[in-house]
Amino acid sequence: INAEYGKRGINAEYGGRIVPRFSELTADKLGSAGKVREIGFGTTKDRMLVIEECHNTRAVTLFLRGSNQMIVQEAKRSIWDAMCVIRNLVRDNRIVYGGGSNEISCALAVSAAADKVPSIEQYAMRAFAEALESVPMALARTPGFAPFSTLADVKIQTDQGKV
């Protein structure tokens, strides 16, 4: 049994209740499952309790293995982060796009507004738009993309409404 999920989680998912003494065990406190079995993996002593064919359950078990404990812990954190993202999307499905797309959209809007300003203030607006473009350029540079051509491509796609 996974220590993080534990007996309480199993009882909640399969309709059972925890009883402190064997003498208090009655039929209405038992849960139900089609199959309960323990399986082992490879040559290790890793074992897992598998509960199958249950009614009204939403439980899913992920069995993680890695070359060392650090790899397993990192995989657990990644899965936890992904599940939190999904939970947040279910709660509120509005998305704020990343990768510098907000900054590019704002820079385009500020540049367009600067075109309509006849005074010297337009230079400050253009400098602000250029500063906004530094974020997506840094994001493009980090994985090794050519920052100027990547920024130009994304600006064109944003102008065309593709992004």
Short mmCIF file of all heavy atoms in Angstrom, two decimals, residues 44-89:
data_model
loop_
_atom_site.label_atom_id
_atom_site.label_comp_id
_atom_site.label_asym_id
_atom_site.label_seq_id
_atom_site.Cartn_x
_atom_site.Cartn_y
_atom_site.Cartn_z
N THR A 44 13.95 -7.20 -8.50
CA THR A 44 13.98 -6.42 -7.26
C THR A 44 12.93 -6.96 -6.30
O THR A 44 12.09 -7.79 -6.64
CB THR A 44 13.69 -4.94 -7.53
OG1 THR A 44 12.35 -4.82 -8.02
CG2 THR A 44 14.65 -4.37 -8.56
N LYS A 45 12.96 -6.44 -5.12
CA LYS A 45 11.96 -6.85 -4.12
C LYS A 45 10.80 -5.87 -4.09
O LYS A 45 10.03 -5.86 -3.14
CB LYS A 45 12.62 -6.95 -2.75
CG LYS A 45 13.65 -8.06 -2.66
CD LYS A 45 14.25 -8.14 -1.28
CE LYS A 45 15.27 -9.25 -1.26
NZ LYS A 45 15.89 -9.39 0.04
N ASP A 46 10.67 -5.02 -5.12
CA ASP A 46 9.56 -4.08 -5.19
C ASP A 46 8.26 -4.86 -5.37
O ASP A 46 8.16 -5.73 -6.23
CB ASP A 46 9.74 -3.11 -6.37
CG ASP A 46 10.90 -2.17 -6.17
OD1 ASP A 46 11.20 -1.86 -5.01
OD2 ASP A 46 11.49 -1.76 -7.18
N ARG A 47 7.30 -4.52 -4.56
CA ARG A 47 6.00 -5.19 -4.64
C ARG A 47 4.92 -4.12 -4.59
O ARG A 47 5.11 -3.06 -4.01
CB ARG A 47 5.84 -6.17 -3.50
CG ARG A 47 6.98 -7.19 -3.48
CD ARG A 47 6.76 -8.37 -2.63
NE ARG A 47 5.73 -9.29 -3.02
CZ ARG A 47 5.76 -10.13 -4.05
NH1 ARG A 47 6.78 -10.12 -4.85
NH2 ARG A 47 4.78 -10.96 -4.29
N MET A 48 3.79 -4.42 -5.21
CA MET A 48 2.70 -3.46 -5.25
C MET A 48 1.38 -4.21 -5.06
O MET A 48 1.18 -5.28 -5.63
CB MET A 48 2.71 -2.71 -6.59
CG MET A 48 1.66 -1.65 -6.68
SD MET A 48 1.85 -0.58 -8.11
CE MET A 48 1.26 -1.60 -9.41
N LEU A 49 0.50 -3.63 -4.28
CA LEU A 49 -0.84 -4.18 -4.08
C LEU A 49 -1.73 -3.60 -5.17
O LEU A 49 -1.83 -2.39 -5.33
CB LEU A 49 -1.37 -3.78 -2.70
CG LEU A 49 -2.71 -4.37 -2.29
CD1 LEU A 49 -2.60 -5.89 -2.14
CD2 LEU A 49 -3.18 -3.75 -1.00
N VAL A 50 -2.37 -4.46 -5.94
CA VAL A 50 -3.23 -4.04 -7.04
C VAL A 50 -4.67 -4.41 -6.69
O VAL A 50 -4.97 -5.57 -6.39
CB VAL A 50 -2.82 -4.73 -8.37
CG1 VAL A 50 -3.73 -4.32 -9.50
CG2 VAL A 50 -1.38 -4.41 -8.70
N ILE A 51 -5.53 -3.40 -6.72
CA ILE A 51 -6.96 -3.60 -6.44
C ILE A 51 -7.70 -3.27 -7.72
O ILE A 51 -7.62 -2.15 -8.22
CB ILE A 51 -7.44 -2.71 -5.28
CG1 ILE A 51 -6.58 -2.96 -4.04
CG2 ILE A 51 -8.91 -2.97 -4.98
CD1 ILE A 51 -6.82 -2.00 -2.92
N GLU A 52 -8.41 -4.24 -8.29
CA GLU A 52 -9.04 -4.08 -9.60
C GLU A 52 -10.55 -4.33 -9.52
O GLU A 52 -11.06 -4.88 -8.55
CB GLU A 52 -8.43 -5.07 -10.60
CG GLU A 52 -6.95 -4.88 -10.80
CD GLU A 52 -6.35 -5.96 -11.68
OE1 GLU A 52 -6.71 -7.14 -11.52
OE2 GLU A 52 -5.54 -5.60 -12.53
N GLU A 53 -11.21 -3.95 -10.62
CA GLU A 53 -12.65 -4.19 -10.81
C GLU A 53 -13.48 -3.63 -9.66
O GLU A 53 -14.26 -4.34 -9.03
CB GLU A 53 -12.91 -5.69 -11.01
CG GLU A 53 -12.22 -6.26 -12.22
CD GLU A 53 -12.35 -7.78 -12.31
OE1 GLU A 53 -13.22 -8.35 -11.61
OE2 GLU A 53 -11.59 -8.37 -13.06
N CYS A 54 -13.29 -2.36 -9.41
CA CYS A 54 -14.02 -1.69 -8.33
C CYS A 54 -15.07 -0.77 -8.91
O CYS A 54 -14.89 -0.19 -9.98
CB CYS A 54 -13.06 -0.89 -7.46
SG CYS A 54 -11.77 -1.92 -6.78
N HIS A 55 -16.16 -0.63 -8.20
CA HIS A 55 -17.25 0.22 -8.63
C HIS A 55 -17.03 1.64 -8.11
O HIS A 55 -16.59 1.84 -6.98
CB HIS A 55 -18.59 -0.31 -8.13
CG HIS A 55 -18.85 -1.72 -8.56
ND1 HIS A 55 -19.16 -2.06 -9.84
CD2 HIS A 55 -18.80 -2.89 -7.87
CE1 HIS A 55 -19.31 -3.36 -9.94
NE2 HIS A 55 -19.09 -3.89 -8.74
N ASN A 56 -17.34 2.62 -8.95
CA ASN A 56 -17.31 4.04 -8.57
C ASN A 56 -15.96 4.51 -8.01
O ASN A 56 -15.92 5.29 -7.07
CB ASN A 56 -18.40 4.33 -7.53
CG ASN A 56 -19.78 4.04 -8.09
OD1 ASN A 56 -20.02 4.21 -9.28
ND2 ASN A 56 -20.66 3.56 -7.24
N THR A 57 -14.88 4.05 -8.58
CA THR A 57 -13.59 4.51 -8.11
C THR A 57 -12.95 5.43 -9.14
O THR A 57 -13.17 5.29 -10.33
CB THR A 57 -12.64 3.35 -7.78
OG1 THR A 57 -11.44 3.90 -7.24
CG2 THR A 57 -12.30 2.54 -9.00
N ARG A 58 -12.20 6.39 -8.65
CA ARG A 58 -11.47 7.30 -9.52
C ARG A 58 -9.98 7.22 -9.22
O ARG A 58 -9.22 8.07 -9.62
CB ARG A 58 -11.96 8.73 -9.32
CG ARG A 58 -13.43 8.89 -9.70
CD ARG A 58 -13.89 10.27 -9.40
NE ARG A 58 -13.68 10.56 -7.97
CZ ARG A 58 -13.84 11.74 -7.41
NH1 ARG A 58 -14.22 12.74 -8.12
NH2 ARG A 58 -13.63 11.91 -6.13
N ALA A 59 -9.56 6.20 -8.50
CA ALA A 59 -8.17 6.07 -8.09
C ALA A 59 -7.32 5.51 -9.23
O ALA A 59 -7.76 4.64 -9.97
CB ALA A 59 -8.06 5.15 -6.87
N VAL A 60 -6.13 6.05 -9.36
CA VAL A 60 -5.15 5.57 -10.33
C VAL A 60 -3.83 5.46 -9.61
O VAL A 60 -3.48 6.32 -8.80
CB VAL A 60 -5.01 6.56 -11.51
CG1 VAL A 60 -3.91 6.14 -12.45
CG2 VAL A 60 -6.32 6.70 -12.25
N THR A 61 -3.09 4.41 -9.88
CA THR A 61 -1.80 4.22 -9.24
C THR A 61 -0.70 4.32 -10.29
O THR A 61 -0.81 3.72 -11.36
CB THR A 61 -1.72 2.83 -8.55
OG1 THR A 61 -2.74 2.76 -7.58
CG2 THR A 61 -0.38 2.63 -7.90
N LEU A 62 0.32 5.08 -9.99
CA LEU A 62 1.49 5.16 -10.84
C LEU A 62 2.64 4.50 -10.10
O LEU A 62 2.92 4.85 -8.95
CB LEU A 62 1.85 6.61 -11.14
CG LEU A 62 0.80 7.43 -11.87
CD1 LEU A 62 1.24 8.87 -11.97
CD2 LEU A 62 0.55 6.86 -13.24
N PHE A 63 3.30 3.58 -10.75
CA PHE A 63 4.44 2.90 -10.15
C PHE A 63 5.70 3.44 -10.80
O PHE A 63 5.94 3.23 -11.98
CB PHE A 63 4.31 1.38 -10.36
CG PHE A 63 5.37 0.60 -9.66
CD1 PHE A 63 5.38 0.51 -8.28
CD2 PHE A 63 6.35 -0.06 -10.38
CE1 PHE A 63 6.36 -0.22 -7.63
CE2 PHE A 63 7.33 -0.79 -9.74
CZ PHE A 63 7.34 -0.88 -8.36
N LEU A 64 6.49 4.19 -10.05
CA LEU A 64 7.68 4.83 -10.58
C LEU A 64 8.92 4.06 -10.17
O LEU A 64 9.06 3.69 -9.01
CB LEU A 64 7.79 6.27 -10.06
CG LEU A 64 6.64 7.21 -10.37
CD1 LEU A 64 6.87 8.55 -9.69
CD2 LEU A 64 6.49 7.39 -11.86
N ARG A 65 9.80 3.87 -11.13
CA ARG A 65 11.09 3.24 -10.84
C ARG A 65 12.17 4.08 -11.50
O ARG A 65 11.95 4.70 -12.53
CB ARG A 65 11.12 1.82 -11.39
CG ARG A 65 10.13 0.91 -10.68
CD ARG A 65 10.14 -0.45 -11.26
NE ARG A 65 11.43 -1.09 -11.00
CZ ARG A 65 11.71 -2.32 -11.37
NH1 ARG A 65 10.83 -3.04 -12.02
NH2 ARG A 65 12.88 -2.86 -11.13
N GLY A 66 13.33 4.07 -10.91
CA GLY A 66 14.45 4.81 -11.47
C GLY A 66 15.76 4.20 -11.02
O GLY A 66 15.79 3.32 -10.15
N SER A 67 16.85 4.68 -11.59
CA SER A 67 18.16 4.13 -11.26
C SER A 67 18.59 4.47 -9.84
O SER A 67 19.40 3.76 -9.25
CB SER A 67 19.20 4.63 -12.26
OG SER A 67 19.24 6.04 -12.25
N ASN A 68 18.06 5.56 -9.29
CA ASN A 68 18.35 5.90 -7.90
C ASN A 68 17.16 6.68 -7.33
O ASN A 68 16.24 7.07 -8.05
CB ASN A 68 19.67 6.67 -7.75
CG ASN A 68 19.68 7.95 -8.54
OD1 ASN A 68 18.69 8.68 -8.60
ND2 ASN A 68 20.81 8.25 -9.16
N GLN A 69 17.20 6.94 -6.05
CA GLN A 69 16.08 7.59 -5.36
C GLN A 69 15.88 9.02 -5.84
O GLN A 69 14.76 9.51 -5.89
CB GLN A 69 16.32 7.55 -3.84
CG GLN A 69 15.11 7.83 -3.02
CD GLN A 69 13.99 6.81 -3.24
OE1 GLN A 69 14.23 5.67 -3.58
NE2 GLN A 69 12.76 7.23 -3.06
N MET A 70 16.97 9.71 -6.21
CA MET A 70 16.85 11.08 -6.68
C MET A 70 16.04 11.15 -7.97
O MET A 70 15.20 12.04 -8.14
CB MET A 70 18.24 11.67 -6.91
CG MET A 70 18.22 13.15 -7.25
SD MET A 70 19.85 13.84 -7.46
CE MET A 70 20.26 13.22 -9.08
N ILE A 71 16.24 10.21 -8.88
CA ILE A 71 15.50 10.17 -10.13
C ILE A 71 14.02 9.93 -9.86
O ILE A 71 13.14 10.57 -10.45
CB ILE A 71 16.06 9.07 -11.07
CG1 ILE A 71 17.52 9.34 -11.41
CG2 ILE A 71 15.21 8.91 -12.31
CD1 ILE A 71 17.75 10.54 -12.27
N VAL A 72 13.73 9.03 -8.94
CA VAL A 72 12.34 8.72 -8.60
C VAL A 72 11.67 9.94 -7.97
O VAL A 72 10.53 10.29 -8.30
CB VAL A 72 12.26 7.50 -7.66
CG1 VAL A 72 10.84 7.28 -7.16
CG2 VAL A 72 12.78 6.26 -8.37
N GLN A 73 12.37 10.64 -7.07
CA GLN A 73 11.80 11.82 -6.42
C GLN A 73 11.54 12.93 -7.45
O GLN A 73 10.53 13.62 -7.38
CB GLN A 73 12.73 12.34 -5.32
CG GLN A 73 12.84 11.41 -4.13
CD GLN A 73 11.51 11.17 -3.45
OE1 GLN A 73 10.69 12.08 -3.31
NE2 GLN A 73 11.26 9.94 -3.04
N GLU A 74 12.45 13.09 -8.40
CA GLU A 74 12.26 14.11 -9.44
C GLU A 74 11.07 13.76 -10.32
O GLU A 74 10.28 14.63 -10.70
CB GLU A 74 13.54 14.25 -10.29
CG GLU A 74 13.49 15.37 -11.27
CD GLU A 74 13.31 16.74 -10.63
OE1 GLU A 74 13.80 16.97 -9.51
OE2 GLU A 74 12.66 17.60 -11.27
N ALA A 75 10.90 12.47 -10.64
CA ALA A 75 9.74 12.04 -11.42
C ALA A 75 8.44 12.29 -10.65
O ALA A 75 7.45 12.74 -11.22
CB ALA A 75 9.86 10.56 -11.79
N LYS A 76 8.47 12.03 -9.34
CA LYS A 76 7.29 12.29 -8.51
C LYS A 76 6.92 13.77 -8.52
O LYS A 76 5.76 14.13 -8.66
CB LYS A 76 7.53 11.84 -7.07
CG LYS A 76 7.20 10.41 -6.80
CD LYS A 76 7.56 9.97 -5.40
CE LYS A 76 6.87 10.70 -4.31
NZ LYS A 76 7.16 10.14 -2.97
N ARG A 77 7.93 14.63 -8.40
CA ARG A 77 7.67 16.08 -8.42
C ARG A 77 7.11 16.51 -9.76
O ARG A 77 6.19 17.33 -9.83
CB ARG A 77 8.95 16.85 -8.10
CG ARG A 77 9.27 16.90 -6.62
CD ARG A 77 10.39 17.90 -6.33
NE ARG A 77 11.66 17.47 -6.90
CZ ARG A 77 12.51 16.65 -6.30
NH1 ARG A 77 12.22 16.16 -5.11
NH2 ARG A 77 13.64 16.32 -6.88
N SER A 78 7.64 15.96 -10.84
CA SER A 78 7.15 16.32 -12.18
C SER A 78 5.71 15.88 -12.37
O SER A 78 4.89 16.64 -12.91
CB SER A 78 8.02 15.68 -13.26
OG SER A 78 9.33 16.19 -13.20
N ILE A 79 5.39 14.69 -11.93
CA ILE A 79 4.01 14.20 -12.04
C ILE A 79 3.09 15.04 -11.17
O ILE A 79 1.98 15.40 -11.58
CB ILE A 79 3.93 12.70 -11.69
CG1 ILE A 79 4.61 11.89 -12.79
CG2 ILE A 79 2.49 12.25 -11.48
CD1 ILE A 79 4.83 10.45 -12.45
N TRP A 80 3.53 15.37 -9.96
CA TRP A 80 2.72 16.21 -9.07
C TRP A 80 2.44 17.57 -9.72
O TRP A 80 1.31 18.06 -9.70
CB TRP A 80 3.43 16.40 -7.73
CG TRP A 80 2.68 17.29 -6.81
CD1 TRP A 80 2.90 18.61 -6.55
CD2 TRP A 80 1.52 16.94 -6.03
NE1 TRP A 80 1.98 19.10 -5.66
CE2 TRP A 80 1.12 18.10 -5.33
CE3 TRP A 80 0.81 15.77 -5.86
CZ2 TRP A 80 0.03 18.10 -4.48
CZ3 TRP A 80 -0.27 15.78 -5.01
CH2 TRP A 80 -0.65 16.93 -4.33
N ASP A 81 3.48 18.18 -10.31
CA ASP A 81 3.29 19.47 -10.98
C ASP A 81 2.30 19.35 -12.13
O ASP A 81 1.43 20.21 -12.31
CB ASP A 81 4.63 19.99 -11.52
CG ASP A 81 5.57 20.44 -10.41
OD1 ASP A 81 5.09 20.62 -9.27
OD2 ASP A 81 6.77 20.60 -10.69
N ALA A 82 2.41 18.28 -12.92
CA ALA A 82 1.48 18.08 -14.05
C ALA A 82 0.05 17.90 -13.55
O ALA A 82 -0.89 18.44 -14.13
CB ALA A 82 1.92 16.88 -14.88
N MET A 83 -0.12 17.16 -12.46
CA MET A 83 -1.47 16.96 -11.92
C MET A 83 -2.04 18.26 -11.38
O MET A 83 -3.23 18.53 -11.51
CB MET A 83 -1.45 15.87 -10.84
CG MET A 83 -1.25 14.51 -11.43
SD MET A 83 -1.22 13.08 -10.32
CE MET A 83 -1.43 13.65 -8.72
N CYS A 84 -1.19 19.11 -10.79
CA CYS A 84 -1.66 20.41 -10.30
C CYS A 84 -2.08 21.30 -11.46
O CYS A 84 -3.07 22.04 -11.36
CB CYS A 84 -0.57 21.08 -9.48
SG CYS A 84 -0.33 20.32 -7.86
N VAL A 85 -1.36 21.24 -12.58
CA VAL A 85 -1.74 22.02 -13.75
C VAL A 85 -3.10 21.56 -14.26
O VAL A 85 -3.98 22.39 -14.55
CB VAL A 85 -0.67 21.89 -14.87
CG1 VAL A 85 -1.18 22.41 -16.19
CG2 VAL A 85 0.59 22.61 -14.47
N ILE A 86 -3.30 20.26 -14.34
CA ILE A 86 -4.59 19.73 -14.80
C ILE A 86 -5.70 20.13 -13.84
O ILE A 86 -6.78 20.56 -14.27
CB ILE A 86 -4.51 18.20 -14.97
CG1 ILE A 86 -3.58 17.87 -16.14
CG2 ILE A 86 -5.89 17.59 -15.19
CD1 ILE A 86 -3.20 16.42 -16.24
N ARG A 87 -5.45 20.01 -12.54
CA ARG A 87 -6.46 20.42 -11.55
C ARG A 87 -6.83 21.89 -11.72
O ARG A 87 -8.00 22.26 -11.71
CB ARG A 87 -5.92 20.18 -10.14
CG ARG A 87 -6.91 20.59 -9.04
CD ARG A 87 -6.25 20.89 -7.73
NE ARG A 87 -5.32 22.00 -7.90
CZ ARG A 87 -4.21 22.14 -7.19
NH1 ARG A 87 -3.87 21.26 -6.28
NH2 ARG A 87 -3.42 23.18 -7.40
N ASN A 88 -5.83 22.74 -11.91
CA ASN A 88 -6.09 24.17 -12.08
C ASN A 88 -6.86 24.45 -13.36
O ASN A 88 -7.71 25.34 -13.40
CB ASN A 88 -4.79 24.96 -12.04
CG ASN A 88 -4.17 24.96 -10.66
OD1 ASN A 88 -4.84 24.71 -9.67
ND2 ASN A 88 -2.90 25.23 -10.60
N LEU A 89 -6.57 23.70 -14.43
CA LEU A 89 -7.31 23.88 -15.68
C LEU A 89 -8.75 23.43 -15.55
O LEU A 89 -9.65 24.00 -16.16
CB LEU A 89 -6.63 23.13 -16.82
CG LEU A 89 -5.41 23.81 -17.41
CD1 LEU A 89 -4.71 22.90 -18.40
CD2 LEU A 89 -5.78 25.12 -18.07
#
